[in-house]
Amino acid sequence: MKKRIYLLLFSLIFSKVVAGQSIDDTFSQKKMRKDLQVFKDIRLSANSGLHKYRTIEQTDSIYKWAEKEIGKSNTYLDFYNIICQLTDFEGSLHNDTGLPEKYLKNLRKENLGYFPYPVKWIDGKWLVNYENGEIPLGSEIVKINGLPISELVQNLYKYYTTDGQNITGKRIGLRTHFSKYYRLHYGQQEKFQVAFRRNASNLVEEKTINSVGYLECYKRFKRRYSKPFDQIYYADLQDKQKYDYKQIGTSTGILTVYSFGMGNESTQEHKSYLAFLDSVFSKIIKDNIKDLVVDIRQNGGGTDPNDLVTYSYLTQRKFQENKQAWISFKKVPYLKYSYIKAPRFLRFIGAGSYNRMFQEDFYQEKDNRYYQGPLSRDHTIWEPNENAYRGRVYLLVSPAVASAGSLFAAMLAGDENTVVIGEETMGGYYGHNGHTPLGYILPESKIKTFFSVVNLEQDVPMRKNQIYSRGIIPDYEVSQTYQDYINQVDIQMDFALELIKRNSME
């Protein structure tokens, strides 16, 4: 009997510990205000991109909004959502705000409350991206629990950051994490009342469906209908699976680069990629290729100098990684909150090497900014490779293109012999914040927040159709229709090859 009482007490204590790790638990406004101030101070001191796309007045305004929101908030999740909104507002795809691991573990254990189907943006609509469910594949979602889908997704965009005011990239995030994002914003739902339209029907039907657990919703994502078409974006590619070249007919080539994550000059993977490029472009010259499709639609970035080396084989101009770059501090601020896995009293050691690196590279001070000087490696002038391609380039882009992928795409898009086809990229055209990330942990909530500190102006020309705060905008906007989606048709590649055919007949 005594043993049973001890077990019962242990069970109650354990359940309270686990419950205490729930994002739905209460969290004091006093702690929220302390963490909000720390978050703001860090951003003002260390984030050079804070006002890249937002004015000082706009930034002040959203922090006033955050202070008012705290006055209406009482849970940990309420505060997390405020910090996510602030993080997204800045407009950098390298920004990230995340929950502590103990909260994530609790989320993964939740066995209900999540929307049961993955979704996908097709032809201006959010469609059910799952076959053999209670709602037919390809049905347009109109409302969930009474909320119009257009209003609903606006509230979920804050969880997936993109450059500037780009929206297309946020849809990539919702394609992957719609169920989780819904739970984070609206809480756990036992059931979902879904209003939907079947394809080619004006009739709005309604169906109440049961929720699923965290793990089940991601299992279903792995069984999404579009997987054969978009799985490469999620795949853990081996070294030589990251790039490919093939020839079509007598004068057309297709160069595909899925990732620039091939290491730097010291790695064998990088050296193998250099050998691949040299071999391919030697062959292109030998075979007299007149039209080259460069497909980077799944390229989310990677490491220098893979993007720059690739561009050197595709341009006729001299170039550099950026026109200018700067950071907003001389020494890394707020070390006591830094995301370093070392005791606080030892953090100055790691920070010291970071500070030396920054001071060696960003040594020109002007108006409280620290700029890269002409001796910086990023300002090295690159020459076109001796085997650089001279024909017409058809660049395929998508919302998945980011970071080093979008830097490469921006430089190539700026060349006169390049035609850009596809959908607006997640990464910016004129610049971005990148290169070196800093991480911090807010003292009360332990929320983790990361951002890249180098404000870059990319070495690209002005383009008539290019908006400053947006991703790379194609010359030809081409995206899947409903039938393309159902039939898994690569309409963008088909369009490029048809355009090549038409141009060759002129």
Side-chain angles (χ1 to χ4, degrees), residues 39 43 79-88 90 94-100 158-161 184 440 442 447-451:
F39 181 88
R43 273 2 218 216
F79 182 64
Y80 175 72
N81 282 329
I82 291 169
I83 296 298
C84 284
Q85 192 71 58
L86 295 172
T87 303
D88 179 56
E90 294 169 2
H94 290 111
N95 280 8
D96 189 34
T97 286
L99 293 164
K158 63 178 171 286
Y159 300 114
Y160 199 84
T161 58
L184 290 175
Y440 291 90
L442 302 184
I447 287 173
K448 298 176 287 188
T449 183
F450 302 87
F451 52 92

Side-chain angles (χ1 to χ4, degrees), residues 257-390:
V257 187
Y258 295 117
S259 169
F260 286 125
M262 304 147 188
N264 58 27
E265 294 95 334
S266 65
T267 67
Q268 184 55 50
E269 187 178 0
H270 170 77
K271 295 172 184 176
S272 296
Y273 181 60
L274 291 185
F276 164 79
L277 288 175
D278 189 61
S279 172
V280 164
F281 282 91
S282 295
K283 178 174 173 55
I284 284 173
I285 292 173
K286 178 183 176 183
D287 295 342
N288 194 26
I289 297 298
K290 293 183 172 59
D291 299 287
L292 181 63
V293 178
V294 179
D295 184 0
I296 59 161
R297 287 174 292 172
Q298 308 298 339
N299 195 317
T303 47
D304 288 339
N306 300 299
D307 48 354
L308 304 176
V309 170
T310 308
Y311 181 61
S312 74
Y313 279 91
L314 291 160
T315 189
Q316 297 303 312
R317 72 178 180 100
K318 296 179 181 180
F319 64 95
Q320 54 191 329
E321 176 147 359
N322 60 66
K323 291 180 180 178
Q324 71 170 22
W326 60 275
I327 60 176
S328 56
F329 56 85
K330 191 169 186 177
K331 292 184 178 181
V332 177
Y334 293 98
L335 273 184
K336 64 180 178 179
Y337 304 124
S338 60
Y339 185 79
I340 298 174
K341 293 181 178 180
R344 186 176 293 182
F345 70 92
L346 291 177
R347 291 180 184 179
F348 74 93
I349 298 175
S353 60
Y354 250 55
N355 288 332
R356 285 191 295 275
M357 177 188 71
F358 284 131
Q359 290 163 16
E360 288 172 3
D361 208 25
F362 299 89
Y363 55 86
Q364 292 189 335
E365 183 177 356
K366 181 180 178 183
D367 299 328
N368 296 318
R369 295 178 177 180
Y370 299 88
Y371 288 84
Q372 281 182 330
L375 300 179
S376 168
R377 177 183 175 187
D378 289 353
H379 290 167
T380 299
I381 303 299
W382 287 68
E383 298 277 350
N385 190 279
E386 60 182 3
N387 288 332
Y389 179 67
R390 295 176 178 272

Side-chain angles (χ1 to χ4, degrees), residues 390-452:
R390 295 176 178 272
R392 291 174 293 203
V393 175
Y394 298 80
L395 176 64
L396 300 188
V397 296
S398 82
V401 176
S403 194
S406 56
L407 169 64
F408 167 81
M411 291 193 294
L412 190 55
D415 288 348
E416 291 183 359
N417 65 325
T418 299
V419 174
V420 186
I421 298 166
E423 300 170 88
E424 180 186 343
T425 65
M426 185 190 314
Y429 175 79
Y430 288 110
H432 68 282
N433 257 62
H435 284 199
T436 308
L438 287 186
Y440 291 90
I441 299 177
L442 302 184
E444 300 296 335
S445 63
K446 307 304 179 184
I447 287 173
K448 298 176 287 188
T449 183
F450 302 87
F451 52 92
S452 288

Side-chain angles (χ1 to χ4, degrees), residues 135-165:
I135 299 176
L137 168 69
S139 293
E140 175 194 357
I141 299 175
V142 179
K143 293 181 180 180
I144 299 178
N145 289 348
L147 279 177
I149 190 68
S150 57
E151 177 184 337
L152 191 156
V153 298
Q154 286 290 332
N155 290 327
L156 306 189
Y157 282 158
K158 63 178 171 286
Y159 300 114
Y160 199 84
T161 58
T162 57
D163 278 349
Q165 297 172 38

